[in-house]
Amino acid sequence: MSKKLVTCGKCGEYTPVVYRTKYLGSGIQHTYAVCQSCGDKVTVYYTDKELRQLLKRQEKTPYGPKKVALAETINNKMNELKERYG
Ligand SMILES: [Zn+2]
């Protein structure tokens, strides 16, 4: 559990934000940040099984065109999931 001080977009407080992961079923995980001041939830990202595998593969891939292409695929998939579940 990581804590980070950020300015909340909703209440404007400079507050520690806690990242939480919620399991939505069928392998979908929703990671979001919670403002400790007003309790507002901000979506960080959604991942599914395939996306988590891609993220692991990206970690192992050395810097280069392959990693860039992988990052693009991951980004597109994250946006897709965000539209579907967000
Ligand atoms: Zn807030």
Side-chain angles (χ1 to χ4, degrees):
M1 212 53 75
S2 53
K3 267 193 181 180
K4 207 177 148 193
L5 277 176
V6 295
T7 306
C8 173
K10 198 173 184 185
C11 66
E13 291 288 328
Y14 193 62
T15 176
V17 160
V18 181
Y19 291 96
R20 295 227 168 94
T21 300
K22 194 175 160 192
Y23 298 87
L24 299 181
S26 39
I28 308 293
Q29 287 179 19
H30 179 200
T31 300
Y32 57 93
V34 183
C35 171
Q36 295 296 281
S37 183
C38 70
D40 194 38
K41 286 181 197 170
V42 180
T43 294
V44 182
Y45 50 66
Y46 290 88
T47 59
D48 61 8
K49 213 176 159 195
E50 193 193 341
L51 188 50
R52 287 194 295 277
Q53 275 170 357
L54 285 170
L55 285 166
K56 264 187 205 161
R57 203 192 302 164
Q58 189 196 29
E59 263 175 44
K60 288 178 199 155
T61 308
Y63 282 101
K66 259 190 185 171
K67 198 172 179 106
V68 173
L70 210 46
E72 208 167 292
T73 308
I74 287 167
N75 242 327
N76 290 339
K77 258 200 93 60
M78 272 185 182
N79 287 336
E80 246 175 59
L81 289 174
K82 216 169 184 170
E83 263 174 40
R84 199 180 311 165
Y85 301 101

